[in-house]
Amino acid sequence: MKVLVVGGGGREHALCWKLAQSPLLTKLWCAPGNAGIADVAECVPVGTEDIPALVEFARDHGVELVVAGPEAPLTLGLADACRAAGIPCFGPSQQAAALEGSKTFTKQVADAAGAPTAAWARFEDADAARAYIRAQGAPIVVKADGLAAGKGVVVAATVEEAEAAIAEIMEDRVHGSAGASVVIEECLIGEEASFFALCDGTVALPLAAAQDHKRVGDGDTGPNTGGMGAYSPAPAFTPAIEAEVMERIINPCLAEMAARGTPFTGVLFAGLMLTAQGPKLIEFNVRFGDPECQTLMLRLHSDLLPLLLAAAQGSLAGHHAEWRDDHAMVVVMATRGYPGAYAKGSRINGLDAAAAIPDAFVFHAGTVAGEDGAVLASGGRVLGVSARAATLAEARTTAYAAVAAIDWPEGFCRQDIGWRAL
């Protein structure tokens, strides 16, 4: 099969790495890819949001499956455009992608499906939002309603923090139009987990759970990021909890989406809080998590390609995913300054030495190839230094050994990935 993966981050590197192992694969492209993806796929210079060019490339090259990595092309209608051209696409329609594109839509679907979630209210007026916050008290959660690259959520410990978040999101528009409205939620208490299920519109196939680390600093301090590291499996996410999540959240919401005439296909990423009252839905995303995807791909024993194709074609029934008994961890190396302003173009050395460590893997998230064969940093989150081992402690030791082998003075990482479980 000829496959086109859309995206250029660590998630897409992990997907390409796994797809490249499929005996069904005959050709793999990635648009636009990055310096690391180029080792396992042919990178093509087409932007992730240039929907007409992506469909034209797929049609001209006989692509038999398009795999959408990030959320942006899905919210712009990539899957619809592919299907209109007769090309199977792994990912939801533009309407179904509103599960990630709009926090309000997700809340409405969850409420209609009877799925447990935090109490919430939506505001388009900043003064009304502030009044609601003062009435509710803190801690409280403020979310930009639209897409904000994983940075539009503020868990405010005080009323003052929450009001400052309203000012930044709604008045200063630090996340652009995503902050035209906000969703304000009760602050759920418990352990967070990321759970993933493949969906074909009617059938949901459970994959696995992971736990990630959103804040930039050790001990979960500092601002939220797109994710500074993750591990899988998540010890707190037991088989009993998985069954409850499928029964009370995934399957009812999938049925609700179908009932609305917007069936969901692709991967449904449920951000969950494991509370004393049971698992509750924090949010849905409509793509694999980054960096959680890296840990899932390291653990997945099954061939990924037929699973993605079955989801895209509405034929998941009868399929199942087999997993290694191993644990996996990814430590994100980011450019100094992230998630604020940072410089691009610094040279990264030692990548071969890191990858040579047994059971270590380096997934590229924000890199470009330099003229002399060098690898240069081109983003905020730049590398996903990963490891797979029999225990989480061993995976952690290996991952940080690989981090130590990388010579990149302009980079940094958290030193405590996996602390919750270890």
Side-chain angles (χ1 to χ4, degrees):
M1 280 190 70
K2 297 178 179 179
V3 178
L4 170 65
V5 173
V6 176
R11 164 185 46 223
E12 289 76 38
H13 191 179
L15 290 170
C16 287
W17 173 83
K18 184 64 179 173
L19 287 167
Q21 299 167 33
S22 173
L24 302 176
L25 186 78
T26 54
K27 179 66 181 181
L28 181 61
W29 293 278
C30 188
N34 62 40
I37 291 173
D39 291 337
V40 290
E42 181 181 335
C43 295
V44 292
V46 181
T48 57
E49 299 183 20
D50 191 344
I51 308 302
L54 290 168
V55 175
E56 181 182 15
F57 178 90
R59 191 173 52 232
D60 291 350
H61 290 79
V63 169
E64 294 160 276
L65 177 65
V66 173
V67 177
E71 63 275 13
L74 293 167
T75 60
L76 292 172
L78 173 62
D80 310 80
C82 286
R83 289 169 191 141
I87 303 164
C89 180
F90 177 77
S93 67
Q94 186 173 29
Q95 283 184 299
L99 280 175
E100 180 160 0
S102 167
K103 302 289 191 301
T104 299
F105 181 71
T106 289
K107 285 294 196 178
Q108 292 169 340
V109 168
D111 286 350
T117 185
W120 66 286
R122 177 180 184 270
F123 296 92
E124 295 181 2
D125 178 76
D127 288 335
R130 279 189 277 260
Y132 179 81
I133 288 166
R134 287 192 290 270
Q136 295 296 316
I140 198 162
V141 181
V142 180
K143 297 180 175 181
D145 195 9
L147 291 177
K151 302 171 192 171
V153 177
V154 176
V155 181
T158 65
V159 167
E160 291 74 23
E161 274 184 55
E163 291 190 5
I166 294 296
E168 286 191 352
I169 294 170
M170 301 191 77
E171 294 169 339
D172 301 340
R173 291 293 176 93
V174 294
H175 305 298
S177 60
S181 60
V182 295
V183 168
I184 302 176
E185 297 180 356
E186 69 168 317
C187 185
L188 298 175
I189 305 300
E191 277 207 63
E192 277 194 65
S194 304
F195 179 68
F196 301 85
L198 295 183
C199 303
D200 70 359
T202 55
V203 173
L205 171 70
L207 289 181
Q211 285 187 296
D212 76 336
H213 300 66
K214 283 293 185 194
R215 293 188 182 267
V216 72
D218 287 4
D220 289 337
T221 56
N224 269 347
T225 70
M228 294 301 293
Y231 56 92
S232 179
F237 198 86
T238 64
I241 290 176
E242 177 179 306
E244 184 177 357
V245 169
M246 291 298 294
E247 179 184 348
R248 299 188 63 201
I249 297 175
I250 301 295
N251 287 327
C253 289
L254 192 62
E256 173 64 21
M257 290 294 287
R260 289 170 177 245
T262 55
F264 184 90
T265 64
V267 63
L268 193 56
F269 167 0
L272 304 166
M273 186 68 77
L274 309 182
T275 75
Q277 296 78 39
K280 293 189 178 185
L281 179 69
I282 300 172
E283 64 181 3
F284 277 133
N285 295 311
V286 300
R287 36 71 189 178
F288 283 105
D290 188 346
E292 295 99 330
C293 183
Q294 290 83 311
T295 65
L296 264 58
M297 292 304 105
L298 286 173
R299 291 187 55 226
L300 182 63
H301 182 69
S302 302
D303 187 346
L304 179 64
L305 183 47
L307 294 177
L308 300 188
L309 184 63
Q313 294 181 329
S315 57
L316 263 180
H319 284 270
H320 68 283
E322 294 182 4
W323 299 91
R324 297 172 178 270
D325 291 332
D326 294 339
H327 294 251
M329 179 179 286
V330 54
V331 177
V332 170
M333 296 190 73
T335 307
R336 294 193 186 280
Y338 175 83
Y342 55 84
K344 295 183 179 182
S346 55
R347 181 174 179 136
I348 306 167
N349 295 308
L351 292 170
D352 290 341
I357 295 173
D359 299 315
F361 307 82
V362 180
F363 295 113
H364 291 228
T367 64
V368 292
E371 292 180 2
D372 56 353
V375 173
L376 307 178
S378 63
R381 294 186 300 161
V382 175
L383 300 172
V385 185
S386 310
R388 184 173 61 201
T391 68
L392 186 61
E394 291 174 80
R396 186 179 192 275
T397 297
T398 301
Y400 279 105
V403 166
I406 294 171
D407 177 15
W408 181 33
E410 293 82 5
F412 77 98
C413 68
R414 280 183 56 164
Q415 300 295 327
D416 64 345
I417 301 303
W419 70 267
R420 285 191 199 90
L422 294 171

